[in-house]
């Protein structure tokens, strides 16, 4: 917009962040300050939406035509905004970007999830890997961390035989769906959630076996009794306190664990593989998108490139606890720590299949945050059978998927 008087013309870019915390916002401001220094006639207005209300608040902005230039885009929103023509393709910009070749193949693949077009450039990956307590494994006589579900079960049995110890830090409460999904898909050897007609695969024989395997970890005393209610904070504390020896989590759990355990006390490895030699490990991601209504697209791209470039991306991911999307990040001293090798190994292993849950379904949020917790806890406590659990989840997801297909 034009400034009054003799001052030079100044452009304002608007950037909306939606997964917010004080530390994230502060880091974002620092990266943006570098952009503004390189573009003296441009200012960036950062609009921070609290995550709990972000979806509705951003939807209200869009419906009112109050569109920013750049928006932080969670994986769960990408389909909605890309399919409605609200996001600009970043392909022309990527073609000329000096750092495009530094982006990992996985990151580019995820950013091109809609119509094989980069409507979003992921900034970080939330990928599950397996933490293990070296001291507890040694005490229980377990020679090596588990590479398969069978070995995981056997190791958990050995550790649970120690007084006051359990094998697995199970997340039976909020946010626990990932564990169920990984067990089901890994035992089934397939992460296809739906058949072509929209019916859910979750009540198929392989998936039911996986859910039953997961339930039996709890039923047979290989997870703490109160873990039926555990969320993120409880499972991480259960691990670093030495209550349980195994924890599946994203790199953000490292922030608390590395403060309380030394590198010789724990390790991080690939998730255990199933009967067919594959592991299906849940992955989430978020990134930066450009709104197609932006009147300053080249500048908006320059801002995204600053956020995504080596300096910005690595600083950002160190703050938020996600895996960076640049190959060069693996050389950064921070990411060369032994703990990160488990995640990078998974990204390079063709037998580890990063699995995106069907977050595109409008009904998925309720399924993940309400239905799956309630019925999952019933199954863990023996109030319903694994088959009944699978049938309930399959019926719900089938209805949601067929509604989605009908659109």
């Amino acid at each position: 917009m034009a400034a009054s008087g003799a001052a030079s013309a100044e452009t304002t870019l608007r950037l909306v962040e939606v997964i917010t915390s004080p530390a994230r916002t502060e880091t974002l401001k620092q990266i943006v300050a570098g952009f503004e220094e390189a573009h003296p006639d441009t200012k960036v207005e950062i609009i921070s939406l609290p995550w709990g209300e972000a979806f509705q608040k951003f939807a209200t902005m869009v419906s009112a035509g109050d569109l920013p230039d750049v928006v932080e885009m969670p994986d769960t929103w990408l389909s909605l905004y890309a399919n409605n023509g609200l996001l600009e393709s970043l392909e022309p910009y990527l073609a000329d970007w000096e750092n495009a070749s530094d982006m990992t193949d996985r990151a580019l693949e995820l950013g091109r999830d809609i119509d094989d077009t980069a409507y979003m450039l992921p900034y970080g990956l939330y990928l599950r890997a397996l933490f293990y307590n070296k001291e507890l494994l040694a005490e229980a006589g377990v020679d090596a961390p588990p590479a398969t579900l069978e070995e995981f079960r056997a190791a958990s049995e050995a550790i649970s035989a120690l007084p006051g110890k359990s094998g697995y830090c199970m997340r039976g409460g909020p946010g626990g769906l990932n564990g169920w999904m990984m067990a089901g898909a890994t035992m089934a050897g397939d992460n296809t959630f739906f058949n072509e007609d929209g019916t859910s695969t979750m009540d198929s024989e392989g998936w039911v076996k996986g859910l039953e395997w997961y339930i039996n970890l709890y039923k047979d005393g290989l997870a703490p009794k109160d873990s039926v209610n555990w969320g993120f904070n409880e499972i991480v504390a259960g691990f670093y306190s030495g209550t349980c020896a195994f924890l599946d989590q994203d790199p953000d759990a490292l922030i608390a664990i590395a403060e309380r355990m030394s590198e010789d006390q724990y390790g991080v490895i690939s998730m255990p593989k199933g009967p067919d030699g594959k592991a299906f490990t849940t992955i989430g991601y978020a990134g930066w998108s450009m709104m197609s209504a932006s009147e300053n697209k080249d500048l908006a791209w320059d801002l995204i490139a600053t956020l995504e470039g080596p300096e910005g991306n690595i600083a950002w991911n160190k703050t938020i606890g996600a895996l960076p999307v640049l190959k060069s990040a693996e050389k950064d001293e921070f990411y060369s720590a032994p703990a990160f090798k488990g995640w990078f190994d998974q990204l390079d292993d063709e037998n580890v299949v990063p699995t995106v849950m069907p977050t595109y379904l409008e009904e998925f949020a309720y399924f993940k945050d309400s239905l799956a917790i309630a019925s999952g806890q019933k199954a863990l406590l023996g109030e319903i059978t694994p088959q009944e659990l699978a049938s309930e989840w399959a019926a719900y997801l089938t209805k949601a998927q067929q509604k989605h297909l009908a659109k």
Side-chain angles (χ1 to χ4, degrees):
M1 59 188 182
S4 59
S8 62
E10 185 177 278
T11 302
T12 298
L13 291 179
R14 301 172 75 227
L15 182 156
V16 170
E17 61 162 339
V18 301
I19 309 173
T20 51
S21 73
R24 290 172 80 110
T25 303
E26 189 54 41
T27 301
L28 183 60
K29 285 178 179 176
Q30 291 170 11
I31 300 169
V32 163
F35 168 83
E36 290 178 333
E37 193 175 326
H39 298 78
D41 295 331
T42 304
K43 294 296 176 192
V44 179
E45 177 190 353
I46 297 174
I47 301 160
S48 302
L49 305 180
W51 174 238
E53 307 159 29
F55 182 81
Q56 188 57 48
K57 283 184 178 291
F58 188 68
T60 301
M61 286 178 67
V62 170
S63 64
D66 182 21
L67 300 171
D69 298 276
V70 175
V71 61
E72 181 180 12
M73 183 60 58
D75 53 358
T76 50
W77 297 14
L78 183 59
S79 173
L80 173 65
Y81 289 108
N83 285 322
N84 284 328
L86 290 163
L87 304 182
E88 185 75 10
S89 168
L90 301 179
E91 295 293 348
Y93 301 99
L94 280 172
D96 297 327
W97 188 38
E98 60 182 0
N99 291 309
S101 60
D102 195 21
M103 295 280 292
T104 63
D105 293 342
R106 297 271 195 204
L108 288 171
E109 178 188 335
L110 293 168
R112 291 174 169 140
D113 190 47
I114 309 300
D115 298 332
D116 200 27
T117 301
Y119 288 112
M120 174 241 267
L121 209 51
Y123 59 59
L125 307 177
Y126 294 95
L127 179 70
R128 289 296 161 99
L130 189 69
F131 289 78
Y132 67 98
N133 184 311
K134 295 178 181 180
E135 295 174 346
L136 280 180
L137 264 65
E139 191 180 341
V142 178
D143 295 332
T148 66
L149 291 181
E150 192 175 2
E151 291 176 4
F152 181 86
R153 166 83 195 197
S156 294
E157 288 175 353
I159 290 150
S160 298
L162 299 172
K165 304 298 180 183
S166 297
Y168 178 46
C169 293
M170 179 174 279
R171 189 169 179 172
L177 184 61
N178 299 61
W180 292 100
M181 292 294 200
M182 288 188 292
T186 299
M187 189 63 81
D190 191 352
N191 65 349
T192 306
F193 289 103
F194 300 102
N195 299 308
E196 283 188 20
D197 63 357
T199 53
S200 169
T201 58
M202 204 160 285
D203 55 357
S204 64
E205 182 182 358
W207 273 87
V208 174
K209 277 185 182 175
L211 298 181
E212 184 174 21
W213 178 88
Y214 197 72
I215 290 165
N216 287 343
L217 291 176
Y218 183 80
K219 192 177 77 174
D220 297 340
L222 308 185
K225 192 169 185 181
D226 55 348
S227 66
V228 67
N229 293 310
W230 281 7
F232 177 82
N233 291 333
E234 291 83 5
I235 58 171
V236 174
F239 182 77
Y240 66 61
S241 68
T243 300
C244 33
F246 298 118
L247 166 72
D248 65 83
Q249 253 311 312
D250 309 320
D252 55 355
L254 263 179
I255 296 169
I257 290 169
E259 285 179 357
R260 296 166 174 87
M261 299 177 77
S262 62
E263 285 183 354
D264 58 353
Q265 290 179 302
Y266 72 96
V268 182
I269 55 169
S270 294
M271 290 299 295
K273 295 179 170 69
D276 69 342
K278 289 185 180 293
F280 294 88
T281 308
T282 53
I283 189 169
Y285 57 100
W288 304 107
S289 291
M290 185 194 305
M291 303 299 289
S292 55
S294 172
E295 295 178 1
N296 299 288
K297 291 188 173 67
D298 288 347
L299 273 174
W301 166 254
D302 286 349
L303 176 56
I304 291 174
T306 301
L307 292 162
E308 286 283 346
E311 191 176 338
N313 184 254
I314 292 173
W316 178 246
N317 282 293
K318 284 178 182 178
T319 296
I320 69 173
L323 288 178
V325 293
L326 302 177
K327 299 168 191 169
S328 58
E330 293 186 46
K331 301 186 185 81
D332 185 275
E333 188 179 354
F334 182 83
Y335 291 106
S336 64
F340 281 100
K341 188 174 183 299
W343 285 287
F344 289 125
D345 283 351
Q346 287 192 135
L347 290 170
D348 294 333
D349 185 347
E350 63 182 14
N351 290 315
V352 176
V353 185
T355 298
V356 180
M357 293 189 283
T359 52
Y360 59 86
L361 296 172
E362 289 178 17
E363 294 83 1
F364 187 79
Y366 173 77
F367 175 73
K368 173 182 176 289
D369 296 326
S370 184
L371 176 65
I373 298 171
S375 52
Q377 288 175 331
K378 284 183 182 177
L380 292 174
L381 296 170
E383 295 170 11
I384 58 174
T385 66
Q387 181 63 61
E388 287 171 331
L389 178 70
S391 297
E392 180 183 343
W393 287 4
Y396 181 88
L397 291 172
T398 294
K399 187 175 179 182
Q401 175 71 358
Q402 290 182 338
K403 175 184 166 188
H404 173 74
L405 292 175
K407 287 183 176 178

